[in-house]
Amino acid sequence: MSTLEIKDLKVSVETEDGPKEILKGVTLTIGDGETHAIMGPNGSGKSTLAYSIAGHPKYTITGGTVTLDGEDVLAMGVDERARAGLFLAMQYPVEVPGVSVSNFLRTAKTALAGEAPKLRTWVKDVNGAMQKMNLDPTFSQRSVNEGFSGGEKKRHEIAQLDLLDPKVALLDEIDSGLDIDALKIVSEGINDFRARDGKGVLLITHYTRILRYVKPDRVHVFVAGRVAESGGAELAEELESNGYDRFLKAAAV
């Protein structure tokens, strides 16, 4: 079972002109087995939400709560949040020269599980995850994300999701920069993960195309640091047809 509960979350960042509030009271709950999609214009606070939940030091929590299965996420360090069951797939995965994908994944799995996975089983699991993402097994010997194409980086993120098996996946624009073939592969990986017992997914996206493959239970429209409206999958279709105009006008009033 997994429940991520966000209540009245307020977040600010430091700017040259002082603190700037980005999230202005966000409330939503991702229940067991649910997939929530967050859509909104640039600068609306979508990525800020994901990074704040994960514990990025750039963001300062000024109000509200975040709990995972009743545990206070905001009281945890970044590593503790990962061990508690949170996973963040980044929009722009960073390169880590000199650290092989294989060592990175095994070190991460060991830190999460509290013991190293058995090598023979682990190699099989890694190769299987790479194969599902249409990544050559030799990728495991390369430095993390170094020289990877944009699509390879995103597929590598989903391979990590498969192997690390968190409770809740925060996917920040995992579909950006993907061609149609890579989008289908990534979507299949997300669907495989959420089919497991007790998983939740928070999917941040600009576009409805990934939602044709990863069907959301709920769609939330983000505008100006708030949830402007929530609904079912039909809300995403409205956004595809009409854009964010009516939400932006309402926020400006």
Side-chain angles (χ1 to χ4, degrees), residues 33-39 133 158 161 169 171 174-175 178 180 182-195 200-205 207-219 232-234 236-237:
E34 293 181 348
T35 297
H36 289 235
I38 291 182
M39 304 184 71
M133 287 297 102
I158 300 303
L161 176 65
L171 308 178
I174 195 69
D175 53 333
L178 297 183
I180 189 63
L183 179 65
K184 289 179 179 179
I185 291 169
V186 163
S187 297
E188 287 171 6
I190 296 170
N191 286 330
D192 285 347
F193 168 75
R194 69 183 190 152
V201 175
L202 181 64
L203 176 62
I204 296 169
T205 182
Y207 308 107
T208 59
R209 61 178 192 155
I210 192 171
L211 302 183
R212 295 170 190 149
Y213 304 104
V214 180
K215 301 296 184 182
D217 298 290
R218 298 286 288 169
V219 175
E234 71 281 353
E237 295 304 320

Side-chain angles (χ1 to χ4, degrees), residues 9-31:
L9 186 64
K10 298 177 183 177
V11 176
S12 66
V13 296
E14 283 296 328
T15 70
E16 293 180 355
D17 300 320
K20 178 181 179 181
E21 191 174 45
I22 305 296
L23 299 185
K24 303 175 182 179
V26 173
T27 296
L28 61 89
T29 299
I30 302 171

Side-chain angles (χ1 to χ4, degrees), residues 9 11-13 22-23 45-53 59 204:
L9 186 64
V11 176
S12 66
V13 296
I22 305 296
L23 299 185
K46 304 184 302 299
S47 294
T48 296
L49 176 64
Y51 280 81
S52 298
I53 295 170
Y59 302 100
I204 296 169

Side-chain angles (χ1 to χ4, degrees), residues 22-99:
I22 305 296
L23 299 185
K24 303 175 182 179
V26 173
T27 296
L28 61 89
T29 299
I30 302 171
D32 189 36
E34 293 181 348
T35 297
H36 289 235
I38 291 182
M39 304 184 71
N42 286 329
S44 58
K46 304 184 302 299
S47 294
T48 296
L49 176 64
Y51 280 81
S52 298
I53 295 170
H56 195 294
K58 173 182 176 182
Y59 302 100
T60 301
I61 310 297
T62 58
T65 61
V66 180
T67 60
L68 179 61
D69 296 337
E71 296 294 322
D72 184 0
V73 169
L74 302 182
M76 302 176 187
V78 175
D79 59 324
E80 293 172 311
R81 298 181 198 204
R83 284 196 293 272
L86 291 174
F87 174 90
L88 173 64
M90 295 180 286
Q91 182 181 359
Y92 303 108
V94 297
E95 296 183 2
V96 189
V99 177

Side-chain angles (χ1 to χ4, degrees), residues 64-152:
T65 61
V66 180
T67 60
L68 179 61
D69 296 337
E71 296 294 322
D72 184 0
V73 169
L74 302 182
M76 302 176 187
V78 175
D79 59 324
E80 293 172 311
R81 298 181 198 204
R83 284 196 293 272
L86 291 174
F87 174 90
L88 173 64
M90 295 180 286
Q91 182 181 359
Y92 303 108
V94 297
E95 296 183 2
V96 189
V99 177
S100 72
V101 168
S102 178
N103 285 340
F104 166 74
L105 290 171
R106 193 161 191 262
T107 299
K109 187 68 173 181
T110 300
L112 294 177
E115 60 181 5
K118 293 179 178 169
L119 194 56
R120 182 178 298 178
T121 304
W122 180 244
V123 170
K124 182 180 178 181
D125 289 344
V126 170
N127 288 341
M130 294 293 175
Q131 185 177 28
K132 283 190 281 188
M133 287 297 102
N134 200 27
L135 294 170
D136 191 281
T138 58
F139 262 72
S140 63
Q141 304 308 313
R142 295 172 61 180
S143 292
V144 175
N145 291 322
E146 188 174 34
F148 289 19
S149 69
E152 288 168 344

